[in-house]
């Protein structure tokens, strides 16, 4: 059992057992750690619990239940652990020990020693895959004509590229030394990097890229998806993003040759998933014009960041966009938006992102029957135009309701 400084484990419930990479044994009474979150986090988490508890009870006639285990990060962690303790070791230990967790939005403290609490969780636990499904729910206002054609899942690399955070300030001694070193390797760089430039380093390697792409391919195979697209800027950055593409095809050939077929060979294939690649800027256009031709996307960090938010906008915005950060043994599901402190404790915000992240969690646990009930309830509630303020102001004839009322109606509509 784990040793905690200021946490008390639930008296009831069992741990999910990790049997190997991406292999789990889920009991009927799993203990699931959760972070309530800052700002609107408390309202969203209460709403999520209402919906998920109702779905599990209904789907399994009371034979299964989730035992929620509160752990702390952000402002609530400081209250419990003391000044500066925004991300206690207790929380990280619980996430690792229990394998599956969920969190509300967190606000990164100003001057708190963290670039981002969310990024810190991902890096410390080596959650190398940011997974973001994007699909449309009928009735949600959208800026595009055919949002129903968008049904993709993004696998974004979480540890390299710009997330490595290697950069040096303009005018600093470090930036000058790095520029001088680069010029010593190639004198032409003197014309490319001005003396006063800040310099960032973009590390990408085969290990990080391949494990992300492997997870995306395995997801596509397990869930009957039609294609995997490697999205990159390899026409310009040949040895980082171009290599990401090459490593992807190399991995596919070495480990999944019997399951995948390259786009150029698709004419002669039978019952195989297509693997293809697109230049990043072209992919943004494809996402708008021909979204139904794409299913699973695997991307380096920065491209994945842009693409996930852009796709979310096509189906109604981040308020309804779920997400998770995963390794092969640990998964942390989360709301993808911010903490909106001005709406804290007003029972006003849309809990859709966190609820749908919990749907991802249920599917990850193998509890698909409960996940289906939540989506059914959410669909019906939106079609009834019984929605929170962010959707109500865009939907003619809608009824604006509180966060908790939206959750209760979803539970009723299962």
């Amino acid at each position: 059992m784990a040793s905690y400084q200021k946490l008390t484990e639930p008296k009831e419930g069992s741990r999910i057992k990790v049997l190997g990479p991406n292999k789990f044994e889920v009991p009927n009474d799993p203990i699931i750690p959760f972070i309530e979150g800052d700002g609107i986090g408390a309202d969203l988490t209460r709403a999520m619990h209402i919906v998920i508890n109702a779905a599990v009870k209904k789907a399994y006639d009371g034979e299964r239940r989730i035992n929620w285990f509160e752990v702390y990060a952000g402002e609530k962690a400081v209250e419990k652990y003391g000044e500066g303790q925004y991300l206690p070791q207790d929380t990280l230990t619980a996430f690792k020990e229990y394998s599956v967790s969920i969190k509300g939005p967190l606000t990164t403290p100003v001057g708190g020693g963290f670039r981002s609490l969310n990024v810190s969780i991902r890096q410390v636990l080596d959650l190398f895959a940011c997974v973001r499904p994007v699909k449309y729910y009928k009735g949600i206002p959208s800026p595009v004509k055919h949002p129903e054609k968008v049904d993709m899942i993004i696998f974004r690399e979480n540890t390299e590229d710009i997330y490595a955070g290697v950069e040096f300030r303009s005018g600093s001694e470090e930036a000058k030394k790095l520029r001088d070193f680069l010029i010593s390797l190639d004198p032409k760089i003197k014309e490319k990097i001005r003396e006063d430039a800040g310099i960032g380093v973009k590390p990408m390697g085969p290990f990080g890229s391949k494990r992300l792409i492997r997870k995306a391919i395995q997801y596509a195979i397990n869930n009957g998806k039609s294609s995997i697209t490697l999205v990159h800027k390899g026409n310009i950055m040949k040895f980082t993003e171009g290599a990401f593409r090459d490593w992807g095809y190399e991995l596919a050939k070495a480990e999944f040759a019997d399951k995948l077929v390259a786009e150029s060979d698709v004419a002669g294939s039978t019952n195989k998933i297509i693997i293809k690649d697109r230049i990043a800027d072209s992919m943004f256009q494809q996402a708008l014009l021909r979204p139904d031709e794409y299913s699973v996307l695997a991307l380096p960090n920065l491209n994945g960041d842009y693409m996930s938010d852009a796709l979310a906008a096509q189906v109604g915005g981040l308020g309804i966009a779920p997400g998770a950060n995963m390794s092969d043994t640990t998964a942390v599901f989360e709301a993808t938006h911010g903490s909106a402190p001005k709406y804290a404790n007003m029972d006003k915000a849309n809990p859709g992102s966190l609820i749908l992240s919990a749907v991802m969690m249920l599917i990850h646990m193998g509890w698909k029957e409960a996940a289906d009930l939540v989506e059914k309830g959410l669909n019906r509630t939106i079609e009834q135009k019984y929605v929170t303020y962010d959707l109500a102001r865009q939907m003619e004839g809608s009824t604006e309701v509180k966060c908790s009322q939206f959750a209760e109606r979803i539970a009723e509509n299962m």
Side-chain angles (χ1 to χ4, degrees):
M1 299 291 285
S3 176
Y4 300 113
Q5 182 187 2
K6 293 190 177 183
L7 293 180
T8 302
E9 295 178 288
K11 294 179 180 179
E12 297 182 355
S14 309
R15 293 189 182 195
I16 294 173
K17 293 181 181 178
V18 178
L19 305 178
N22 300 307
K23 294 181 180 178
F24 308 92
E25 183 180 288
V26 180
N28 285 339
D29 59 346
I31 298 171
I32 304 293
F34 72 94
I35 293 172
E36 188 176 77
D38 296 324
I40 57 176
D43 289 341
L44 303 190
T45 297
R46 282 192 291 269
M48 182 270 290
H49 285 166
I50 288 170
V51 173
I52 300 306
N53 289 342
V56 171
K57 183 177 181 180
K58 184 176 180 64
Y60 307 112
D61 295 322
E63 293 184 4
R64 295 180 182 177
R65 60 166 297 184
I66 291 175
N67 294 279
W68 300 103
F69 174 21
E70 185 172 11
V71 298
Y72 302 91
E75 296 165 2
K76 209 166 181 182
V78 172
E79 294 174 9
K80 189 171 184 69
Y81 288 83
E83 188 65 31
Q85 296 294 310
Y86 292 99
L87 185 56
Q89 183 58 47
D90 276 0
T91 297
L92 296 170
T93 299
F95 278 1
K96 190 170 183 179
E97 291 286 329
Y98 286 94
S99 181
V100 173
S101 313
I102 191 165
K103 57 178 279 297
L106 292 172
T107 302
T108 294
V110 177
F114 292 91
R115 290 173 59 230
S116 163
L117 293 176
N118 295 318
V119 173
S120 296
I121 291 170
R122 298 168 194 171
Q123 291 181 336
V124 171
L125 297 176
D126 195 27
L127 305 177
F128 61 83
C130 178
V131 184
R132 296 271 296 271
V134 187
K135 71 176 183 179
Y136 182 66
Y137 291 91
K138 187 177 179 181
I140 292 180
S142 167
V144 298
K145 289 182 178 180
H146 294 288
E148 72 280 357
K149 292 184 178 182
V150 178
D151 187 359
M152 303 183 211
I153 184 160
I154 289 173
F155 283 77
R156 169 193 176 200
E157 207 287 321
N158 238 357
T159 64
E160 297 186 318
D161 196 2
I162 64 163
Y163 254 29
V166 183
E167 59 177 351
F168 303 98
R169 189 186 303 273
S170 167
S172 68
E173 188 63 26
E174 294 84 357
K176 181 180 182 301
K177 286 180 179 179
L178 181 54
R179 179 175 181 270
D180 290 343
F181 173 70
L182 293 172
I183 292 170
S184 74
L185 296 178
D186 181 358
K188 294 178 183 178
I189 288 177
K190 187 173 184 178
E191 305 301 322
K192 297 179 180 180
I193 304 177
R194 295 185 177 90
E195 289 187 22
D196 62 349
I199 301 177
V201 180
K202 179 186 178 77
M204 291 174 62
F207 174 79
S209 296
K210 284 185 176 182
R211 67 177 179 174
L212 181 278
I213 295 166
R214 180 183 294 111
K215 200 167 189 68
I217 292 174
Q218 195 63 63
Y219 177 90
I221 292 169
N222 292 347
N223 292 277
K225 298 300 181 179
S226 60
S227 69
I228 299 132
T229 306
L230 310 173
V231 183
H232 59 92
K233 192 63 179 169
N235 57 329
I236 302 298
M237 309 195 78
K238 301 183 186 303
F239 305 129
T240 50
E241 301 215 9
F244 178 86
R245 168 195 180 275
D246 294 342
W247 291 323
Y249 282 122
E250 183 182 299
L251 172 78
K253 185 176 180 180
E255 299 183 17
F256 299 99
D258 61 330
K259 299 288 197 307
L260 306 180
V261 61
E263 188 175 23
S264 58
D265 299 328
V266 71
S269 68
T270 55
N271 299 321
K272 288 191 176 185
I273 298 170
I274 300 168
I275 183 166
K276 53 191 175 182
D277 71 277
R278 295 290 183 269
I279 301 297
D281 44 301
S282 172
M283 186 63 223
F284 275 95
Q285 180 174 240
Q286 295 286 300
L288 286 166
L289 299 178
R290 302 161 75 173
D292 49 341
E293 295 182 12
Y294 297 90
S295 181
V296 178
L297 308 183
L299 309 95
N301 183 268
L302 183 58
N303 292 334
D305 198 6
Y306 295 153
M307 186 62 67
S308 55
D309 280 13
L311 286 176
Q314 289 181 228
V315 298
L318 291 178
I320 206 76
N325 293 283
M326 301 179 174
S327 69
D328 288 335
T329 57
T330 306
V332 179
F333 299 85
E334 65 177 4
T336 58
H337 51 69
S339 59
K342 71 177 182 178
Y343 294 123
N345 301 312
M346 292 175 64
D347 197 18
K348 184 179 180 73
N350 183 351
S353 176
L354 191 61
I355 289 170
L356 287 172
S357 296
V359 167
M360 288 180 69
M361 182 186 77
L362 293 172
I363 293 170
H364 180 75
M365 292 163 54
W367 292 14
K368 192 174 185 304
E369 299 84 0
D372 288 345
L373 282 178
V374 177
E375 288 201 286
K376 183 184 294 184
L378 179 67
N379 266 318
R380 286 178 176 172
T381 303
I382 292 170
E383 287 182 356
Q384 292 166 356
K385 298 186 177 182
Y386 191 87
V387 292
T388 50
Y389 83 100
D390 58 316
L391 297 178
R393 62 188 177 183
Q394 303 177 66
M395 297 171 67
E396 188 177 344
S398 63
T399 300
E400 180 179 329
V401 298
K402 296 179 180 179
C403 174
S404 57
Q405 291 173 318
F406 184 62
E408 288 162 0
R409 178 63 68 91
I410 292 171
E412 291 171 8
N413 277 331
M414 292 177 193

